[in-house]
Amino acid sequence: MKITQKQMELVLLLLIVVIGVAVYRFGYYEFDEKTKQVESENKQLEQQIAALQVKQANKETYEKGIEDSEKLQKEVLAKYGPGNTPEKSIMMIRDLEEKTNAKVQSIAFNPDSSIYMSADTDENGEPSVKAYTTQLSISYENNYEGLKKMMDYFVKYPERMNVSSFTAVFNQETGALSGTMLINLFSVQDANHKYKEPSVGGVKIGTDNIFGDTY
């Protein structure tokens, strides 16, 4: 079959179109897509660099803020005791009686309840800061002035505590007030809080026989 000049021109034209499409699809198109991708990544990097430059420019401010925050945290945590135990609570109540002329007839102890655990952990994987509350219930007797001294005692106590509720009944014969108090004791466990057993006047905490070896 003889191909005419016109048919040859059409075939060549078709080849040119096919080659052009192939070049666009596998050459320019892919190159254009990669170029757009690179431009997008460059913009993201530029934004990250700009953010880092802002942080670098404010580095001293951030460091000062972190330092102030850590100082404030230490000051707050310093107001909390390293733990609460029955013997420690008994010594606190004895001191309360001596300083406020109160008479405490009974004390009821309750176990610790967790109120906070930090997200930061120590080398053992435990929260670096733990906070607890312990409720102490007492029945007391005192006069009106003594009751005010008791409240003042709790407010000024070096370790964090508060009175969540109390009752007071007036005795007309003695002029005294009697009732109950529910006291919340707070404590913190961290690297700076180490519990020490209180001194109880010669009686060793945990001894089997408080009367010694005499029978």
Side-chain angles (χ1 to χ4, degrees):
M1 180 179 177
K2 187 176 180 181
I3 300 176
T4 65
Q5 182 67 27
K6 187 174 182 180
Q7 288 174 331
M8 181 65 72
E9 291 176 355
L10 289 173
V11 171
L12 291 174
L13 180 61
L14 180 61
L15 288 174
I16 291 172
V17 171
V18 171
I19 292 171
V21 171
V23 170
Y24 175 79
R25 176 66 182 84
F26 299 104
Y28 174 78
Y29 178 77
E30 289 189 4
F31 178 77
D32 184 59
E33 287 297 312
K34 290 181 179 180
T35 300
K36 291 179 179 178
Q37 182 180 353
V38 171
E39 289 178 350
S40 177
E41 292 176 353
N42 286 340
K43 288 182 179 179
Q44 292 178 2
L45 290 173
E46 288 175 357
Q47 292 175 353
Q48 293 176 4
I49 291 172
L52 291 173
Q53 288 175 338
V54 171
K55 291 180 179 179
Q56 180 64 28
N58 293 279
K59 181 180 178 181
E60 293 184 1
T61 302
Y62 295 146
E63 290 178 344
K64 183 65 167 56
I66 293 172
E67 182 181 345
D68 291 343
S69 297
E70 291 178 345
K71 181 179 178 181
L72 179 61
Q73 182 184 32
K74 289 181 180 179
E75 289 177 354
V76 171
L77 293 179
K79 297 178 181 179
Y80 290 78
N84 292 294
T85 59
E87 60 263 30
K88 181 179 177 180
S89 297
I90 290 172
M91 296 303 295
M92 184 269 289
I93 293 300
R94 286 182 59 185
D95 186 56
L96 172 72
E97 289 180 314
E98 292 177 359
K99 293 180 178 178
T100 67
N101 295 320
K103 294 181 180 179
V104 176
Q105 285 85 15
S106 65
I107 308 173
F109 307 99
N110 291 285
D112 289 342
S113 296
S114 175
I115 56 175
Y116 173 77
M117 288 192 179
S118 66
D120 297 333
T121 57
D122 57 21
E123 57 184 10
N124 298 319
E126 294 291 326
S128 56
V129 179
K130 301 177 184 178
Y132 299 90
T133 181
T134 306
Q135 286 192 331
L136 188 69
S137 179
I138 67 171
S139 60
Y140 72 93
E141 182 177 321
N142 209 338
N143 56 29
Y144 179 68
E145 289 299 322
L147 178 58
K148 291 195 295 183
K149 289 181 180 179
M150 291 174 69
M151 294 300 180
D152 192 50
Y153 178 90
F154 296 129
V155 171
K156 295 181 179 179
Y157 195 76
E159 297 180 7
R160 183 73 70 187
M161 67 172 63
N162 62 40
V163 177
S164 61
S165 64
F166 74 96
T167 62
V169 178
F170 179 70
N171 187 321
Q172 291 184 347
E173 294 182 0
T174 62
L177 298 172
S178 61
T180 60
M181 281 188 184
L182 189 60
I183 307 166
N184 293 321
L185 311 176
F186 299 94
S187 63
V188 163
Q189 292 182 4
D190 64 9
N192 299 316
H193 288 73
K194 302 297 181 184
Y195 179 78
K196 293 182 179 180
E197 293 181 350
S199 174
V200 291
V203 178
K204 183 180 179 182
I205 298 296
T207 185
D208 294 330
N209 180 10
I210 63 174
F211 303 103
D213 297 328
T214 303
Y215 294 91

